[in-house]
Amino acid sequence: MLRVLAVDDEEPALAELLYLLRADPRVRSAEGATDATDALRRIGRALDVGPDGGDAIDVLFLDIQMAGLTGLDVARLIAGFARPPLIVFVTAHEDFAVQAFDLKAVDYVLKPVRRERLAEAVRRVAEQAAVVRPPAIDRSADRIPVELGGVTRLVKITDIAYAEAQGDYARLHTADGSHLVRIPLSTLEERWQPHGFVRIHRRHLVALHRIDELRLDGGGMSVRIGGAVLAVSRRHASRVRELLMRQAGS
């Protein structure tokens, strides 16, 4: 799941690009910046917090011709960083393609942006991100510490049916009750993907094998896990359906 920063000094073009990016199930988050200075400030903050931080950025979708610093300038400035974000240039001009690929751009998308062409760019970025920056997940970590009455208890991840976002905390639901941990849901999503957890909503991360029922109600989708019925957002619906069908066929 990609964390995107899109940069374009034309607000209508930026709004359209963000709309298309947010509709792609491979994009976890997409934020916008209307100038290179703001973009560089956000990139610096992302590098400070590291790949697991809340402000992390996996890929930049950069316009080239902007007031002040251009998209090419931004790419040159971050090229010397140890782990810079990947770059996709989005521009109305074909003339800069050679320079763009010299700067190791993953793709070069021409305006007006077509949904299918943008989806192809996202696919290329996702594939490269998986190779270049695999998630730092300890696959042997099968327990999580929780505080209960002043005592630290280790809860097996396999005992957790789903996790619920509560600000910077997450509430873990098991058959025995629930536990509040000071870990953002986005961090648990990265760590627990190898354990079969999948994001179904901005508020919920669920263990796929714990889903008892998939419900379709008036165009909406939800899942039942024990006695809990949890909504599946439109953004995650196709992915959840695909994973459940794959699981049923295995």
Side-chain angles (χ1 to χ4, degrees):
M1 298 288 286
L2 298 168
R3 295 158 294 188
V4 176
L5 177 64
V7 189
D8 196 317
D9 62 352
E10 296 181 0
E11 292 193 15
L14 178 61
E16 176 66 14
L17 180 58
L18 288 172
Y19 172 80
L20 293 174
L21 286 167
R22 288 165 180 164
D24 193 305
R26 294 162 296 191
V27 174
R28 179 196 303 175
S29 63
E31 303 300 328
T34 54
D35 62 72
T37 302
D38 184 25
L40 288 168
R41 184 164 51 247
R42 296 194 195 193
I43 295 165
R45 189 163 63 237
L47 294 173
D48 287 341
V49 302
D52 295 326
D55 293 322
I57 299 169
D58 299 307
V59 56
L60 298 174
F61 280 76
L62 274 175
D63 187 21
I64 288 183
Q65 289 195 323
M66 297 185 290
L69 293 175
T70 69
L72 295 172
D73 293 329
V74 173
R76 293 187 186 101
L77 285 168
I78 68 173
F81 295 165
R83 295 179 67 180
L86 299 173
I87 293 176
V88 173
F89 285 108
V90 183
T91 177
H93 305 278
E94 299 180 359
D95 307 344
F96 301 103
V98 172
Q99 295 178 64
F101 288 115
D102 282 345
L103 290 166
K104 310 302 182 185
V106 178
D107 208 344
Y108 191 91
V109 179
L110 290 174
K111 297 179 181 179
V113 178
R114 294 182 294 108
R115 184 186 299 269
E116 297 79 7
R117 181 64 183 86
L118 187 65
E120 172 62 16
V122 172
R123 182 192 67 77
R124 293 179 183 180
V125 168
E127 288 182 355
Q128 186 159 331
V131 173
V132 176
R133 289 193 293 275
I137 297 173
D138 181 2
R139 294 175 183 266
S140 65
D142 60 353
R143 296 169 185 261
I144 183 169
V146 301
E147 296 291 328
L148 188 62
V151 177
T152 300
R153 176 186 171 196
L154 294 176
V155 175
K156 291 182 180 179
I157 294 174
T158 53
D159 290 341
I160 298 168
Y162 66 96
E164 179 181 7
Q166 294 189 352
D168 291 332
Y169 292 75
R171 183 167 293 279
L172 313 179
H173 294 265
T174 70
D176 299 327
S178 68
H179 310 279
L180 195 64
V181 294
R182 193 170 184 176
I183 304 175
L185 201 65
S186 58
T187 300
L188 292 180
E189 180 182 3
E190 289 190 9
R191 291 181 183 176
W192 291 359
Q193 185 178 355
H195 297 281
F197 280 77
V198 60
R199 192 72 168 260
I200 66 167
H201 191 276
R202 62 183 177 82
R203 290 193 58 204
H204 291 118
L205 178 71
V206 307
L208 199 66
H209 67 280
R210 292 297 193 104
I211 295 177
D212 299 310
E213 191 175 81
L214 178 67
R215 299 180 176 182
L216 300 174
D217 304 306
M221 181 185 292
S222 61
V223 295
R224 181 176 64 81
I225 301 178
V229 177
L230 308 175
V232 179
S233 69
R234 290 184 179 180
R235 177 181 175 184
H236 298 288
S238 60
R239 177 66 172 160
V240 172
R241 193 200 303 261
E242 175 190 343
L243 289 172
L244 285 173
M245 290 177 65
R246 189 182 303 170
Q247 178 178 264
S250 61

